[in-house]
Amino acid sequence: MKKTVILLFIITSMFMTGATPNEPVDPLHTLTKIAEENTWAITNWEVMLKESISKTNFNDILNDVRNSHLVTRTEDENSIKYILFDEENTTSIHVDQTIIVSKIEPEHIELIAVMKGSDWNEEIQSEYDQTSGKLNDSFFQDKPDEFTCIEVIEDDTIENRAVIDVLTESLQLEHVEEQDDPLEMSKHKKIKYGYTPLWNEKFVIQGIPYNLQIVATQGDSGKLAYTIGTPILMNEY
């Protein structure tokens, strides 16, 4: 799970919105449960939380986090970045917290937190729930946008169609579409996307909602890795 970019097939006519409020369902819980029920090996998972705040709140937040974190400041021509290091960071879950102040639009300030790991079980899920709750209570001002993904590696029991069929049924997927990777040298084999009514957030492209993406990537071993994300993959694979 690498540098942050939006996959190229998402076009500029999209926007993010919320659906009719449902009972909150954590996408990571749902995706990992599906993987476990189908004995798919979870090799990576990641949850990114993002929120824009006003300049008025910025100094208060920065002062608050300095009381419990080590803070480093970096700067380039476009932004000033404050990176937070929590001395109580867990061992099973890696947490990154960042505050980004745009130089181009000084009023645009983003709070970003990323939780990630390379294993998943009941103990880690409990730890994730506690970490997520702590971030929402102490770092974010309102409910942040959430981006979730997991990665599973194919084995002798996983086939491309089986993965899609299971997700289609389990997530009640609609508007399922497939995109072949046009670059012969690319390791991407397939890109699929669709919409599940289980989660509120979605992107709308030409009037059609989407909030799930699947990328099949050829690994060095020859096996396929399936990256499953909602509502949009925020990483390049």
Side-chain angles (χ1 to χ4, degrees):
M1 297 182 180
K2 308 169 187 174
K3 61 186 179 181
T4 302
V5 296
I6 296 180
L7 288 174
L8 295 178
F9 74 91
I10 297 296
I11 58 178
T12 57
S13 60
M14 72 181 184
F15 60 92
M16 192 168 178
T17 184
T20 303
N22 296 320
E23 188 70 23
V25 176
D26 190 313
L28 185 61
H29 287 187
T30 303
L31 293 176
T32 52
K33 182 179 180 181
I34 293 171
E36 289 175 332
E37 287 176 345
N38 290 276
T39 64
W40 301 342
I42 300 170
T43 53
N44 283 293
W45 62 267
E46 182 173 309
V47 175
M48 176 188 291
L49 305 174
K50 296 181 66 175
E51 180 184 25
S52 295
I53 62 168
S54 68
K55 194 171 183 179
T56 304
N57 293 334
F58 167 66
N59 288 328
D60 290 338
I61 292 173
L62 192 59
N63 288 332
D64 286 343
V65 297
R66 277 177 170 153
N67 293 328
S68 56
H69 296 73
L70 299 175
V71 180
T72 63
R73 182 182 184 276
T74 63
E75 185 173 348
D76 59 28
E77 61 182 6
N78 296 318
S79 65
I80 301 171
K81 183 183 295 185
Y82 298 87
I83 303 170
L84 285 53
F85 298 92
D86 190 343
E87 294 177 323
E88 298 181 0
N89 213 345
T90 65
T91 55
S92 299
I93 300 176
H94 182 81
V95 181
D96 292 321
Q97 289 174 254
T98 309
I99 303 173
I100 300 176
V101 182
S102 171
K103 289 184 177 180
I104 300 171
E105 299 177 71
E107 295 298 323
H108 183 71
I109 301 172
E110 279 196 328
L111 306 180
I112 301 175
V114 177
M115 296 170 282
K116 54 187 173 183
S118 57
D119 198 3
W120 188 261
N121 53 41
E122 289 185 5
E123 183 178 343
I124 295 175
Q125 177 172 315
S126 177
E127 193 174 320
Y128 159 76
D129 290 340
Q130 293 176 18
T131 303
S132 178
K134 179 181 176 181
L135 287 171
N136 277 286
D137 291 341
S138 62
F139 187 54
F140 294 101
Q141 304 299 290
D142 201 353
K143 181 170 175 56
D145 293 329
E146 184 171 325
F147 303 85
T148 301
C149 73
I150 69 170
E151 180 187 76
V152 298
I153 303 295
E154 73 171 356
D155 57 25
D156 294 338
T157 64
I158 296 182
E159 296 179 358
N160 184 17
R161 180 51 51 191
V163 171
I164 304 304
D165 288 347
V166 168
L167 291 171
T168 298
E169 180 178 353
S170 300
L171 299 175
Q172 306 166 39
L173 281 187
E174 306 169 12
H175 313 305
V176 179
E177 297 189 28
E178 180 176 308
Q179 177 181 344
D180 291 314
D181 196 317
L183 302 177
E184 290 185 6
M185 298 302 293
S186 173
K187 292 185 176 182
H188 293 174
K189 294 298 182 181
K190 297 287 184 182
I191 301 173
K192 296 176 184 286
Y193 45 105
Y195 170 76
T196 172
L198 299 182
W199 303 313
N200 290 334
E201 289 182 331
K202 62 186 177 181
F203 285 93
V204 177
I205 305 174
Q206 297 180 347
I208 300 175
Y210 298 99
N211 62 4
L212 188 87
Q213 295 180 12
I214 305 166
V215 176
T217 306
Q218 186 77 52
D220 294 335
S221 66
K223 291 186 176 181
L224 289 177
Y226 297 91
T227 304
I228 307 157
T230 181
I232 183 175
L233 290 172
M234 292 294 288
N235 294 314
E236 182 179 37
Y237 298 89

